[in-house]
Amino acid sequence: MNVLVVGGAGYIGSHCVRQLILAGHKPVVLDNLVFGHRGALAPSIHLYEHNLGDEAAVTRILRDEKIEAVMHFAAYAYVGESVNDPLKYYFNNVVATLHLLHAMLAVGVNKFIFSSTCATYGIPTQMPIVETMPQAPINPYGQTKLDIENALKSISRAKGLSFATFRYFNAAGAAEDGSIGEAHDPETHLIPLAIDAATGKRPPLQIFGIDYPTPDGTCLRDYVHVDDLSRAHIAVFDKLNQPGTGLFYNLGTGRPTSVYEVIRAVEKATGRKVPYTTAPRRAGDPPALFADSSKAVKELGWTIKFPDIDAIVATAWAWHSSRPEGYR
Ligand code: UDP
């Protein structure tokens, strides 16, 4: 299929572009390169540098490239920033996405795959999380993702759009050959910060909270490999042929992993100690978040190639050790 990957030069988007090519599809990328990197894409990939809310540009691309499906990864995703600057998040994550959808409907492209997040569940009362649990986000970032999920339901009913929404848990790792990987600026994620602490590139890691009601006192998260995530986006294509289809899937391994366990995995992969200090809890961090992804496994035949944290961190280390400066 001809697929427009919006945000395809970003972390998850660029891994998905590679998986699309491996599966025999033809991706083209729309990315304004605010957070994306040209270097995350093979030179042969056609990159359009526009904002996703630029309807005239998007309409032209959809027509010229004979696009059949759109994957949308382009969002602002810093929780703390979303609390301090909610308008930025509503304009980009909601308003611009509505423009993208408007352009798609105008041209008759009616398959849409959307990056959502476990942050739409807020602080769930039960673990693991299943898709049918109530969604009550506790920050504007999660709210903007839920707003689009809800908009998609209405648009699908009214206009026959077929869509799949994937609620990611903690995307992690890198391409197995170390050629592309995670390069955020600023970086706030645990695994890259722990790796950089081990190599001395950054100061010691701060562990945000050691007094949580968990076995070792640190937060539990569900780290899922970025290539495993990407493959689910392609496996869903066959389900989108019936107009008006609306699908929702959690994507996680289902394994809760603590901050200390991540540190041990980084020490194993790098062969170095991770220096750390303990710090107060970070605002808005639930003690535990992990997925029941059996729906994706059952309905999409989704398989998890990297089920445990050691395997995931080994790929992250392959990337960070071969490209310590990222895409610079
Ligand atoms: N974390 C930490 N120190 C850091 C960054 C993260 O202790 O410098 C913890 C954070 O509190 C959470 C887990 O690591 O429990 C994963 O955080 P991350 O920001 O990677 O992802 P999130 O779960 O917030 O999406």
Side-chain angles (χ1 to χ4, degrees):
M1 267 208 306
N2 296 332
V3 183
L4 179 64
V5 186
V6 180
Y11 173 44
I12 303 174
S14 61
H15 285 79
C16 209
V17 165
R18 284 176 45 129
Q19 294 298 323
L20 280 164
I21 293 167
L22 284 174
H25 297 288
K26 186 172 169 271
V28 295
V29 169
L30 174 73
D31 199 304
N32 63 8
L33 299 186
V34 168
F35 288 114
H37 309 272
R38 184 64 182 93
L41 298 170
S44 58
I45 299 290
H46 203 153
L47 167 68
Y48 291 93
E49 275 185 61
H50 296 286
N51 287 322
L52 71 128
D54 182 343
E55 279 197 43
V58 171
T59 303
R60 228 174 18 248
I61 298 163
L62 294 172
R63 284 213 177 98
D64 290 353
E65 298 283 355
K66 300 187 172 48
I67 295 298
E68 299 163 270
V70 173
M71 288 183 177
H72 178 25
F73 298 94
Y76 292 137
Y78 292 108
V79 168
E81 184 186 52
S82 80
V83 174
N84 295 324
D85 193 356
L87 278 178
K88 177 174 176 181
Y89 280 68
Y90 280 93
F91 275 122
N92 188 70
N93 296 5
V94 179
V95 176
T97 299
L98 297 179
H99 282 296
L100 170 68
L101 288 163
H102 194 235
M104 285 175 59
L105 292 179
V107 175
V109 177
N110 64 0
K111 291 180 184 163
F112 189 67
I113 297 163
F114 179 59
S115 290
S116 189
T117 167
C118 63
T120 59
Y121 295 109
I123 304 182
T125 47
Q126 266 173 287
M127 276 310 137
I129 299 172
V130 292
E131 289 85 350
T132 48
M133 279 184 190
Q135 288 172 289
I138 58 165
N139 52 60
Y141 164 65
Q143 185 63 51
T144 58
K145 291 288 186 174
L146 182 58
D147 289 344
I148 292 299
E149 287 200 8
N150 288 331
L152 287 171
K153 287 183 202 166
S154 310
I155 296 167
S156 172
R157 265 194 300 269
K159 304 286 176 192
L161 180 80
S162 287
F163 73 91
T165 278
F166 289 107
R167 298 177 189 147
Y168 308 150
F169 283 65
N170 288 57
E176 274 179 281
D177 62 6
S179 57
I180 60 171
E182 195 167 5
H184 296 114
D185 185 18
E187 187 54 84
T188 60
H189 293 109
L190 178 62
I191 294 173
L193 290 177
I195 288 176
D196 285 351
T199 60
K201 195 178 151 202
R202 290 183 203 259
L205 181 73
Q206 285 188 297
I207 300 181
F208 298 138
I210 55 166
D211 58 350
Y212 282 99
T214 59
D216 68 16
T218 65
C219 285
L220 299 172
R221 292 288 180 273
D222 183 340
Y223 298 90
V224 53
H225 195 277
V226 62
D227 278 341
D228 282 331
L229 289 183
S230 300
R231 280 189 285 269
H233 293 63
I234 297 162
V236 84
F237 283 168
D238 288 345
K239 301 256 177 231
L240 298 180
N241 292 327
Q242 177 72 29
T245 301
L247 300 167
F248 300 86
Y249 297 102
N250 286 340
L251 293 179
T253 64
R255 277 191 194 208
T257 302
S258 75
V259 175
Y260 284 127
E261 286 170 321
V262 168
I263 289 175
R264 278 198 291 279
V266 169
E267 291 181 338
K268 216 191 240 180
T270 61
R272 302 174 207 204
K273 278 277 170 217
V274 175
Y276 64 80
T277 57
T278 56
R281 293 182 180 193
R282 188 171 65 176
D285 269 347
L289 286 174
F290 52 99
D292 179 333
S293 301
S294 51
K295 185 172 179 231
V297 171
K298 204 166 126 218
E299 293 187 8
L300 307 180
W302 186 50
T303 52
I304 298 171
K305 191 170 166 193
F306 301 91
D308 67 79
I309 195 66
D310 286 344
I312 292 172
V313 169
T315 65
W317 175 237
W319 154 251
H320 285 276
S321 55
S322 66
R323 297 283 294 266
E325 294 308 318
Y327 295 106
R328 260 176 282 148

